[in-house]
Amino acid sequence: MSRPQVPETLIEAAQQLGEVGSFLYLSGCSAIDHLLGRDPGRILECATDASLTALAPLGDLSFLGTEGIDAVLEVGELQLIIHLTEKEVLSVSPIRMLEFFFDPLERKFFDPRGQYFAIRERTVSQEGIDEQGFRGWHDICDLALLAARYGCSVPEYRLARLPEPVSEDYQRLLLMRLLESGDTAAGLRYLQEIGFISSHWELLASMVGVEQDKDFHPEGDVWDHTLEMFSYSKGNELELQLAILLHDCGKAFASRQDNNRFNRHAQIGADRAGRFLQGLSFDTGLREKVHFLIRNHMVPSYAPRLPSHRIDDILRSPDYPQVLELFRCDISSSYRSMDTYYRACDHYRQFLKQARNPYRGKRRDTYRVEQTS
């Protein structure tokens, strides 16, 4: 099994800390990703004994105010979740499987808790959790990540009382890591069953129990349909994954008009999704892309029946291919015929062909003049 390349920026950061007598190891899921040969993404968990003043010159340092994360360090395109620990102890989590480390300079793994076989078996037992050290929502989220990233069997850990919500910055990092995981639905389902989603993400919680026409959606309610869509997604581009997650969030707030049970749900959902993402401090450019995808996710279903000039701006957008991909996941998860998707793709190809015709716009303008004269 070939292991992923360690990012150069991480190696450089570890080298700089090594010069002042400190270490920087990959820890938790990021070390496990490396062991299993998986791309860890741009958010890496790291353990270090360096002081925050030693870390500050390496990049932009921020603090989430969340138990279990001492800081977040942005180094180039990477976001390093920093856990402060001593080399002799190397303890960063009460979930023993996550006490696993990788030294990017020496290219060595450290397994102080003897978790290698538990990682291979993808099982987190109740005995694999240090009850006294359990830190509430933070560790619940780590269990969800283990389920999403590796298909781990995790215990349905019930909290005696609901702890304080985690910070919005932590929620953003968690959501990004879930969406880049191999089984996003498993992690989200776990968080919903445990109560994290109802405590933190009201918009997602509103999808649960919103029934749909069984002829079109035999897979279940809006939440079930959304989770099903992730199994058909081929890429892990963040804007597309967020659009899948939120594409039908407007259905809980839409009203019936004639035979349309969820009138204008795409427009309603796009606006609500934008506010949700803004609350988690996602950047403006990404929010605008997600808004475009959600608002137009129904366009492929009727685009071939419309004159192209009515939806020119949508079809010309560089993001329209992702609209088609969102539409493919949408109809695939509802077990409908793919014919509508293929017609939409063919229509888009014809549009692009015509758009390259230098006389197309001129002919259309002449037609308009003749009609008005």
Side-chain angles (χ1 to χ4, degrees):
M1 179 190 303
S2 61
R3 295 197 173 99
Q5 194 74 17
V6 178
E8 283 297 325
T9 48
L10 178 67
I11 293 176
E12 291 171 4
Q15 288 173 336
Q16 291 182 51
L17 289 179
E19 291 173 0
V20 295
S22 296
F23 70 88
L24 182 69
Y25 295 162
L26 288 177
S27 63
C29 285
S30 296
I32 294 172
D33 284 337
H34 202 73
L35 175 70
L36 300 179
R38 302 192 178 190
D39 181 3
R42 295 182 178 180
I43 301 173
L44 304 179
E45 289 183 81
C46 297
T48 182
D49 63 347
S51 67
L52 295 178
T53 54
L55 291 170
L58 302 181
D60 293 329
L61 197 64
S62 59
F63 306 93
L64 305 190
T66 298
E67 187 174 3
I69 296 181
D70 294 294
V72 174
L73 180 67
E74 292 190 26
V75 182
E77 294 185 348
L78 298 178
Q79 293 187 68
L80 309 184
I81 295 175
I82 300 297
H83 305 284
L84 299 181
T85 186
E86 296 299 324
K87 197 168 188 176
E88 294 75 18
V89 180
L90 280 183
S91 178
V92 298
S93 175
I95 302 171
R96 294 184 175 90
M97 186 184 288
L98 293 175
E99 297 204 335
F100 190 74
F101 306 89
F102 177 72
D103 182 343
L105 298 181
E106 298 292 331
R107 304 192 68 80
K108 293 180 180 179
F109 289 97
F110 296 96
D111 185 13
R113 292 273 198 165
Q115 292 301 297
Y116 176 81
F117 291 106
I119 292 171
R120 289 296 186 187
E121 293 170 4
R122 313 290 207 276
T123 301
V124 183
S125 64
Q126 197 72 52
E127 292 72 30
I129 299 175
D130 180 0
E131 295 278 347
Q132 292 186 338
F134 202 80
R135 300 164 297 185
W137 287 132
H138 179 269
D139 292 309
I140 289 290
C141 293
D142 278 345
L143 290 172
L145 279 170
L146 288 170
R149 293 181 89 87
Y150 317 115
C152 288
S153 171
V154 296
E156 291 190 13
Y157 202 94
R158 297 293 173 180
L159 299 172
R161 59 181 179 82
L162 292 183
E164 290 295 315
V166 298
S167 71
E168 292 173 350
D169 287 327
Y170 177 78
Q171 293 176 49
R172 181 182 67 258
L173 293 174
L174 168 67
L175 189 53
M176 291 170 67
R177 299 180 77 196
L178 285 172
L179 292 176
E180 70 180 14
S181 299
D183 191 356
T184 297
L188 289 171
R189 188 177 291 110
Y190 184 80
L191 291 180
Q192 191 269 324
E193 292 171 352
I194 294 296
F196 176 89
I197 285 181
S198 60
S199 297
H200 293 79
W201 297 334
E202 184 179 350
L203 184 61
L204 302 190
S206 69
M207 302 181 202
V208 179
V210 179
E211 297 297 333
Q212 305 181 99
D213 189 328
K214 298 300 182 185
D215 290 337
F216 295 101
H217 291 283
E219 71 279 7
D221 63 18
V222 172
W223 180 244
D224 292 330
H225 165 66
T226 297
L227 296 185
E228 182 73 22
M229 281 180 65
F230 285 107
S231 64
Y232 294 94
S233 177
K234 295 179 179 179
N236 62 356
E237 298 92 343
L238 181 57
E239 62 268 22
L240 179 60
Q241 297 299 95
L242 286 169
I244 289 174
L245 177 65
L246 300 165
H247 79 288
D248 272 349
C249 69
K251 285 188 173 180
F253 310 97
S255 56
R256 178 184 292 275
Q257 185 177 69
D258 299 326
N259 292 326
N260 188 348
R261 165 68 179 82
F262 302 110
N263 186 47
R264 301 187 73 253
H265 81 274
Q267 295 90 331
I268 296 169
D271 292 340
R272 287 185 176 265
R275 292 195 291 272
F276 172 77
L277 297 177
Q278 184 176 21
L280 297 184
S281 300
F282 281 98
D283 67 69
T284 303
L286 183 137
R287 297 201 310 268
E288 289 175 348
K289 284 189 176 184
V290 175
H291 187 279
F292 177 86
L293 297 181
I294 295 175
R295 184 178 180 85
N296 297 300
H297 79 270
M298 298 297 293
V299 169
S301 65
Y302 57 75
R305 303 194 300 271
L306 292 178
S308 291
H309 69 267
R310 289 186 57 182
I311 51 174
D312 258 7
D313 290 345
I314 298 172
L315 297 177
R316 288 182 184 278
S317 169
D319 296 321
Y320 189 70
Q322 284 195 316
V323 172
L324 287 171
E325 177 62 10
L326 178 59
F327 182 67
R328 183 190 64 79
C329 296
D330 195 2
I331 63 174
S332 296
S333 64
S334 56
Y335 306 102
R336 285 179 284 172
S337 169
M338 296 296 291
D339 289 347
T340 307
Y341 168 71
Y342 296 135
R343 283 195 295 271
C345 290
D346 185 62
H347 171 264
Y348 183 53
R349 283 194 293 268
Q350 292 298 321
F351 171 80
L352 293 178
K353 181 179 178 180
Q354 292 297 319
R356 291 192 293 268
N357 183 344
Y359 300 104
R360 175 175 177 267
K362 188 177 296 185
R363 270 203 310 271
R364 194 180 69 193
D365 292 343
T366 302
Y367 175 77
R368 287 176 176 169
V369 170
E370 292 172 350
Q371 292 297 304
T372 57
S373 60

